[in-house]
């Protein structure tokens, strides 16, 4: 007998549905529906009270109309009336209507809640079931407010029927998810845990779902569920397939419950009680064993159910990440699935492997499947599966296979589905950067990327290439050559033109020696693309041209001609026009020195988190990922955050000390402010010596290291997790160092292993002895380690302290240089003067004396020295606070005005500083990548008082040092700039500038200082 | 958690739409359409999982579907559900429908929409799996059926009779019987002699 009586439904409904089905056109259908709606409306509004049956019929019709995609804005009231009917069928349809067409009318909600309250109190299990369903389906806050207190009572009451318990558990779960704050924890929680022992497997399933969600937020309160869940699981797993009768699904005992229990266990770390743990391991092994048994049925449902349990078991194994044996078995099992003929299994295997790849124990095992995965990428017919393959390749990538993986991804990109191209581009860009050993490979990869999928290469990607090329001088020549070659293709993507324009503008000189890429050829090549490009690219190219004027004086006239052409000077786009005007002026009025300073090479970029990675994260969407994924992400961030060798040296280079900066500025024509080569070399050495397992030096540790040269105690390293303190004493050739590791978090560090690494040649010279420390560091605790040091002979390098530990599932790796330097072993000696000279004179061998004579770069002029010292303050121009800036500018101004002969270069310095500030300022990160440093943009639209002050400061210097002529032409230029400002915005600054130019002193003197003082103050 | 359960036919006509997360009506319609297009372009024997469309939350949600003859059954779930488990659940749902309707077909879903909803309610409640035991679900449905029968039988009979009479569509009874010109000619009877 069919469980649904087909015969005696509602005849009117059936007729209506048939009518709709017989409609020949959409219009006819709409007409019929409108007619019906009008009919129902009039019936509802009519004076005659409708009986339950007709109400039910009409409500049902409304539901059908709603399903067809029409808005239903009435009928709620009738549905609510049905709720209070005594008839089950009427009540049922009423509840259905309400939960499908939820309405937020508060009056209605009050009525609904009333009806639900009555039904809950009715003690009629069928009615209670309906009411609970309704609460769960609507799940609104109002409902939570009304019933969150009531439902736990129903759930744990002894006399509640099983089916009601089931509904109550899920209902509570729904309310907790929607409004956790409204569900009070209480006595009921412990009784809920015991539902795991219930006779009825349906109740157990529902309770497991509920406990899983509750335990995620309140792990302590539900801790006891672990052992219960394990024993329940083991009973299911070991039962014969017929034991559980109804809950056996295609010969698999209670697959749903097993999956839920395994999910619940994933909320907790591996059980501590060895008995429970053993039992769980046994269960997991049994599940893995069953996968190898021949299937009990050929049906796909059988294998589905079996594998659902298996995959969940594997997730649990990965989550626990503690039993290497199980992990390897899990990995092998997934490996088998990778080649399974069932597409679903291949998909899930790829997905699970992704998480497995982040476990230390199994990363290597995952890597062995690389060929299968690459094959999947090439041959899978299904885009979802290919997408997983891409994800897995990304997760399993490391230094050893990066080249292969990146190459495969690139070749896949040519045929990839449009929907996932952008993501692949980002992934390739990140991998290429992260694992680049050879930066020429990196440049090639990215250029290929632009060639293959230019449209999908976002700004971040090409910004990043430029940042890396600028920060690494060993790759600049190669990059220039490669982009030059790439640009020769008849059709190249605009992004390539951008990269090409930028790189040639900076480093075109490196390849200009080759007659095939002479300056003029470079320029012509770029200019041939100019007209095909969008405005931002053209703007960038104009900047390239002005940089060419500086790099190659021989093409100056050609470029000036281009800039002077009407299509530039009178361009409709104001940005292009302005650039053309400014650049043209600049190229004609400025002397080569000024040009050189203003258009100097870009300084290295400060190292921060890769913007590409940030983009990928954003694309992947925020939160709502499982913990595992979160952990994986953290891990990848971690790897990137602790930079690989190259970025590390770049970061050292990008934060030059103020003194180095001053020297760089003081030096005549642009001395590239590159890294001191030794520093980079040193770091690279450290890496080549130690295996790849050792993290690169933590950023900032270099600074700390320097502090310890003359200091024995203090904090060596600190980040959010860990603090390392030192206390050391040295006597003669011996020393003892106490290292204190402080856990700053509230979570345990596991597998905490600090190791001391000495480079090969250092090992012979320095003897270090230490004992291993306890592998767990409790939250907030401090661990101490003693290192005994013996200096055997002189040494230069310092040993490296590498610390590895696990924090909340993620692996952490920190390296710092340990401040053991030769001077620690120096001994003062008292000596009479004659003894000293006697010794001194003994040093007569030729090797014992070194003398070198060098020429001073600048005359020793006290005034200039003083000026330079003061100019050191110009480094403060990098400050972001406006107040500080103005203060600095005031000082500079005072300096410039009071020095009778302000050194000319200083003027350039200040100028360049101010302009740099404009370019590198935090306000506009883009400006930095789009504009060449220097002159450029001080007069652009966001002209602000600060820069105006900067210009005022400049004037005394400029006029005093460059002579009237230059001063006037600069002034003329300034007024052009002023006039190009919009009327409203320009007024203040215009006045200011006019004031400046009017009071322009031919010789900067104290008199003029007074006249401009108020200006400075008024902007403060 | 299950966000939505969508059943539509090969032409994209929705046959059962159930959302467990609140979406405005027009968005619900758009989601059905978007999902249909996502699922339609996929071959039959490739994998049953794909990332959710942009409307329902993108890659954080998965669409898990099965295609039976003329109908697509699509479950949209978040990461807390087991993919294969949901696939089994769809099977359970369909097998239950089959048992309840005896060889279920698309027409059953159309004409007994309310019943399909009730069966679904026994399987999934508020986006969470309530019962996976087919026999239990069928038993519940039979119990409901009995209730309905008892209500529809004796107790409902009078009410039904009343409404049947009220709604009776009798052919219009002419108020005035217009017979027209009665021109019945009385035949001349032969006179009595």
């Amino acid at each position: 007998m069919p469980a649904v009586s087909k015969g005696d439904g509602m005849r009117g409904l059936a007729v209506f549905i048939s009518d709709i089905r017989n409609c020949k056109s959409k219009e006819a259908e709409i007409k019929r529906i409108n007619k019906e709606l009008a009919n129902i409306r009039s019936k509802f509004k009519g004076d005659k009270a409708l009986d339950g049956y007709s109400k039910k019929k009409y409500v049902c019709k409304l539901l059908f109309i709603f399903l067809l995609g029409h808005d239903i804005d009435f009928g709620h009231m009738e549905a609510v009336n049905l709720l209070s009917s005594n008839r089950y069928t009427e009540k049922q349809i009423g509840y259905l209507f309400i939960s499908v067409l939820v309405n937020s009318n508060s009056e209605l909600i009050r009525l609904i809640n009333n009806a639900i309250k009555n039904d809950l109190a009715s003690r009629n299990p069928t009615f209670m079931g309906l009411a609970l369903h309704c609460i769960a389906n609507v799940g609104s806050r109002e409902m939570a407010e009304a019933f969150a207190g009531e439902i736990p009572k129903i759930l744990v009451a002894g006399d509640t029927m099983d089916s009601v318990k089931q509904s109550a558990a899920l209902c509570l779960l729904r309310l907790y998810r929607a409004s956790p704050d409204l569900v009070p924890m209480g006595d009921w929680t412990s009784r809920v845990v015991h539902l795991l022992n219930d006779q009825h497997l349906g109740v157990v399933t529902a309770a497991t779902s509920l406990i899983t969600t509750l335990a995620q937020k309140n792990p302590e309160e539900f801790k006891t569920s672990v052992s219960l869940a394990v024993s329940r699981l083991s009973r299911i797993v070991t039962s014969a397939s017929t034991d559980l009768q109804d809950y056996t699904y295609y010969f698999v005992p209670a697959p749903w419950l097993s999956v839920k229990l395994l999910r619940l266990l994933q909320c907790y770390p591996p059980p501590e009680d060895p008995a429970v743990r053993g039992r769980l391991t046994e269960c997991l092994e049994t599940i893995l064993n069953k996968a190898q048994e021949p299937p009990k049925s050929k049906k796909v449902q059988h294998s589905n159910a079996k594998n659902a349990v298996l995959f969940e078991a594997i997730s649990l194994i990965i989550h626990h990440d503690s039993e290497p044996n199980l992990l390897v078995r899990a990995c092998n099992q997934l490996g088998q699935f990778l080649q399974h003929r069932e597409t679903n299994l291949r998909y899930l295997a790829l997905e699970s492997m992704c998480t497995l790849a982040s476990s230390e124990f199994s990363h290597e095992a995952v890597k062995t499947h690389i060929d299968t995965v690459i094959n999947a990428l090439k041959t899978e017919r299904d885009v979802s599966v290919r997408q997983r393959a891409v994800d897995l390749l990304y997760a399993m990538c490391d230094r050893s296979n990066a080249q292969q993986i990146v190459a495969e991804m690139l070749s896949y990109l040519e045929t990839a589905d449009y929907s996932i191209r952008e993501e692949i581009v980002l992934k390739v860009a990140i991998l290429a950067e992260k694992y680049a050993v050879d930066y020429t490979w990196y440049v090639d990869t990215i250029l290929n990327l632009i060639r293959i999928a230019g449209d999908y290469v976002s700004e971040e990607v090409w910004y990043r290439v430029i940042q890396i090329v600028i920060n690494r001088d060993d790759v600049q020549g190669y990059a220039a050559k490669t982009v030059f070659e790439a640009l020769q293709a008849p059709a190249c993507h605009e992004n390539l033109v951008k990269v090409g324009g930028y790189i040639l503008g900076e480093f075109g000189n490196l390849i200009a020696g080759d007659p095939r890429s002479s300056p003029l050829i470079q320029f012509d090549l770029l200019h041939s693309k100019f007209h095909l490009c969008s405005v931002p690219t053209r703007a960038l190219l104009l900047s390239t041209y002005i940089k060419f004027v500086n790099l190659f004086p021989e093409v100056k006239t050609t470029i000036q001609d281009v800039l002077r052409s009407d299509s530039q000077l009178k361009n409709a786009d104001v940005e292009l026009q302005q650039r053309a005007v400014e650049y043209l002026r600049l190229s004609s009025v400025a002397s080569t020195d000024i040009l050189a300073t203003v258009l100097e090479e870009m300084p290295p970029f400060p190292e921060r988190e890769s913007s590409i990675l940030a983009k990928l994260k954003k694309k992947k969407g925020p939160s709502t990922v499982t913990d595992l994924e979160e952990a994986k992400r953290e891990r990848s961030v971690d790897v990137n955050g602790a930079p690989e060798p190259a970025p590390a040296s770049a970061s050292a280079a990008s934060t030059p000390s103020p003194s180095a900066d001053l020297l760089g500025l003081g030096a005549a024509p642009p001395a590239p402010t590159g890294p001191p080569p030794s520093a980079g070399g040193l770091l690279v050495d450290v890496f080549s010596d130690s295996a790849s397992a050792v993290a690169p030096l933590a950023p900032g540790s270099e600074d700390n290291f320097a502090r310890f040269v003359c200091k024995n105690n203090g904090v060596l390293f600190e980040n959010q997790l860990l603090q390392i303190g030192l206390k050391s004493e040295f006597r003669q050739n011996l020393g003892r160092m106490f290292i204190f590791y402080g856990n700053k978090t509230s979570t345990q560090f596991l597998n905490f292993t600090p190791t001391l690494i000495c480079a090969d040649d250092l090992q012979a010279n320095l003897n270090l002895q230490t004992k291993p420390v306890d592998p767990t560091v409790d939250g907030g605790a401090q661990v101490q380690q003693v290192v005994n040091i013996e200096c055997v002979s002189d040494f230069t390098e310092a040993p490296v302290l590498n610390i590895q530990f696990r924090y909340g599932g993620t692996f952490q790796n920190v390296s710092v240089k340990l401040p053991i330097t030769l001077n620690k072993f120096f001994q003062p000696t008292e000596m009479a003067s004659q003894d000293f000279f006697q010794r001194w004179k003994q040093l007569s061998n030729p090797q014992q004396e070194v003398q070198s004579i060098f020429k001073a770069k600048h005359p020793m002029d006290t005034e200039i020295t003083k000026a330079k010292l003061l100019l050191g303050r110009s480094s403060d121009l990098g400050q972001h606070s406006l107040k500080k800036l103005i203060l600095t500018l005031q000082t500079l101004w005072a300096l410039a005005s009071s020095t009778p002969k302000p050194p000319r270069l200083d003027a350039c310095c200040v100028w360049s500083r101010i302009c740099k500030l404009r370019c590198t300022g935090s306000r506009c990160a883009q400006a930095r990548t789009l504009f060449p440093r220097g002159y450029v943009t001080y007069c652009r639209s966001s002209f602000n008082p600060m820069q105006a002050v900067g210009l005022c400061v400049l004037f005394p210097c400029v006029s005093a040092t460059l002579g009237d002529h230059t001063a006037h032409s600069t002034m003329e230029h300034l007024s052009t700039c002023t006039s190009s400002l919009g009327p409203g915005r320009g007024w203040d600054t215009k006045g200011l500038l006019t004031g400046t130019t009017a009071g322009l002193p031919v010789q900067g003197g104290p008199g003029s200082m007074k006249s401009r003082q108020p200006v400075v103050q008024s902007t403060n | 958690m299950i966000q939505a359960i969508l059943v539509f036919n090969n032409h994209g006509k929705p046959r059962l739409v159930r959302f467990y997360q609140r979406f405005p009506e027009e968005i619900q319609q758009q989601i059905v359409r978007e999902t249909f297009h996502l699922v339609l372009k996929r071959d039959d024997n490739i994998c049953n999982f794909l990332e959710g469309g942009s409307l329902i939350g993108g890659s954080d949600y998965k669409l898990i579907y099965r295609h039976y003859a003329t109908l697509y059954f699509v479950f949209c779930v978040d990461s807390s559900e087991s993919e294969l488990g949901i696939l089994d659940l769809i099977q359970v749902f369909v097998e239950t429908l089959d048992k309840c309707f005896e060889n279920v077909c698309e027409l059953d879903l159309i004409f007994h929409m309310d019943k399909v909803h009730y069966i679904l309610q026994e399987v999934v409640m508020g986006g969470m799996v309530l019962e996976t035991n087919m026999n239990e679900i069928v038993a519940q449905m039979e119990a409901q059926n009995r209730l309905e029968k008892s209500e529809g039988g004796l107790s409902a009979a009078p009410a039904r009779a009343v409404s049947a009479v009220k709604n009776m569509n009798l052919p219009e009874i002419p108020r005035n019987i217009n017979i027209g010109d009665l021109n019945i000619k009385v035949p001349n009877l032969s006179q009595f002699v």
Side-chain angles (χ1 to χ4, degrees), chain A residues 496-806:
Chain A
L496 181 65
V497 180
K498 288 180 186 165
V499 175
Y502 200 105
I503 289 184
L504 290 182
E506 293 290 328
F507 310 114
N509 54 333
L510 299 178
I511 55 166
D514 190 330
R516 283 166 302 174
S517 53
S518 71
L520 193 61
I521 296 180
Q522 284 186 35
F523 172 74
D524 285 342
L525 182 61
L526 280 177
H527 199 56
S528 68
K529 317 280 180 199
F530 187 89
H531 303 279
L532 303 170
C533 292
S534 62
V535 169
T537 311
R538 288 192 200 187
L540 187 144
L541 284 179
L542 286 179
S543 296
T544 304
Y545 296 168
I546 189 70
K547 289 223 145 192
F548 273 178
V549 169
N550 173 40
L551 290 179
F552 316 120
E554 61 266 43
V555 294
K556 183 172 174 179
T557 47
T558 324
I559 288 175
Q560 281 178 332
D561 287 345
V562 169
L563 291 176
R564 198 175 290 125
S565 69
D566 277 357
S567 62
Q568 310 297 351
L569 273 192
K570 296 184 180 166
N571 196 300
D573 186 89
V574 70
E575 172 73 39
L576 291 181
Q577 189 189 25
Q578 193 178 347
R579 285 196 186 205
V581 172
E582 289 175 11
Y583 291 160
L584 184 61
R585 274 311 272 170
L586 181 69
S587 67
S588 46
V589 299
S591 68
T592 42
D593 277 356
I594 292 191
L595 269 185
T597 317
V598 163
L599 299 171
E600 174 186 9
E601 207 175 275
M602 286 295 278
F605 288 80
E607 199 57 40
R608 18 186 141 80
E609 188 194 354
S610 162
S611 50
I612 311 178
L613 204 64
K615 166 121 181 173
L616 184 67
K617 273 194 234 164
K618 204 164 74 192
K619 198 172 152 52
K620 274 296 190 178
S623 64
T624 51
V625 283
T626 60
D627 293 359
L628 276 172
E629 266 177 87
E630 196 68 39
K632 194 178 82 193
R633 257 183 224 173
E634 267 171 31
R635 180 175 174 273
S636 66
V637 173
D638 187 42
V639 170
N640 207 66
E644 297 292 325
S649 67
S651 83
S654 65
T655 48
S657 60
S659 61
D661 196 33
L662 187 63
L663 285 179
L665 286 170
T673 43
S678 61
L682 181 74
L683 291 192
V684 172
D685 279 350
V686 170
F687 293 114
S688 53
D689 285 339
S690 48
S692 64
V694 176
L697 286 187
S701 67
E702 198 76 349
D703 285 352
N704 275 342
F705 178 77
R707 247 187 276 144
F708 275 93
V709 171
C710 305
K711 216 172 82 164
N712 284 338
N713 307 328
V715 175
L716 178 64
F717 171 84
E718 185 158 14
N719 65 11
Q720 286 109 332
L721 308 175
L722 178 72
Q723 187 190 49
I724 305 177
L726 288 188
K727 235 181 189 177
S728 43
E729 50 189 7
F730 295 89
R731 190 164 301 147
Q732 293 174 347
N733 65 330
L734 298 177
R736 179 179 294 159
M737 185 175 264
F738 296 85
I739 311 178
F740 301 93
Y741 305 100
N743 181 348
K744 288 169 66 180
T745 67
S746 51
T747 322
Q748 266 194 345
F749 291 160
L750 299 172
N751 304 349
F752 187 85
T753 36
T755 27
L756 288 169
I757 298 160
C758 290
D760 291 339
D761 48 342
L762 186 58
Q763 257 165 9
N765 304 335
L766 197 65
N767 237 338
L768 296 178
Q769 281 177 341
T770 181
K771 282 195 198 115
V773 294
D774 191 25
T776 50
V777 183
D778 287 329
Q782 199 178 49
V783 179
Q784 176 187 332
Q785 188 181 29
V786 187
V787 186
N788 289 318
I789 310 157
E790 185 192 5
C791 175
V792 181
S793 105
D794 59 305
F795 60 93
T796 47
E797 306 264 341
V800 174
L801 174 66
N802 176 249
I803 300 138
Q804 306 188 347
F805 59 94
R806 302 185 66 80

Side-chain angles (χ1 to χ4, degrees), chain A residues 3 88-89 92 133 137 166-167 174 200 246-247 250 263 301 344 347 351 381-382 384 388 624, chain B residues 20 42 45 47-48 51 60 62 79-80 83 91 95 121 125-126 130-131 133 136 144-145 151:
Chain A
Y88 174 71
T89 45
Q92 196 183 22
H133 267 110
N137 287 332
Q166 243 170 305
S167 303
R174 176 64 197 257
H200 191 275
D246 288 355
Y247 283 88
Y250 288 91
R263 283 264 157 155
Q301 281 80 11
N344 289 338
Y347 174 95
E351 196 178 52
R381 288 195 302 137
D382 185 352
S384 330
R388 294 290 149 253
T624 51
Chain B
Y20 295 104
R42 297 171 61 83
N45 45 8
C47 94
N48 300 67
E51 285 188 352
D60 290 337
K62 280 218 174 84
S79 60
S80 69
E83 287 92 345
Q91 180 71 17
E95 281 187 35
Q121 270 186 5
M125 167 176 162
L130 179 65
E131 185 56 75
N133 178 348
E136 187 101 341
Q144 279 189 26
N145 212 22
E151 285 176 356

Side-chain angles (χ1 to χ4, degrees), chain A residues 82-92 95 115-135 154 161 163-164 167, chain B residues 140 147 151:
Chain A
L82 284 175
L83 295 187
S84 47
S85 161
N86 287 326
R87 289 174 199 283
Y88 174 71
T89 45
E90 288 170 14
K91 217 184 245 300
Q92 196 183 22
Y95 275 124
I116 293 178
K117 211 164 267 170
N118 290 338
D119 280 337
L120 284 183
S122 71
R123 296 274 137 210
N124 173 341
T126 334
F127 288 0
M128 284 171 87
L130 282 177
L132 288 169
H133 267 110
C134 182
I135 301 174
I154 300 176
M161 280 185 50
S163 64
V164 177
S167 303
Chain B
Q140 285 284 348
L147 261 174
E151 285 176 356

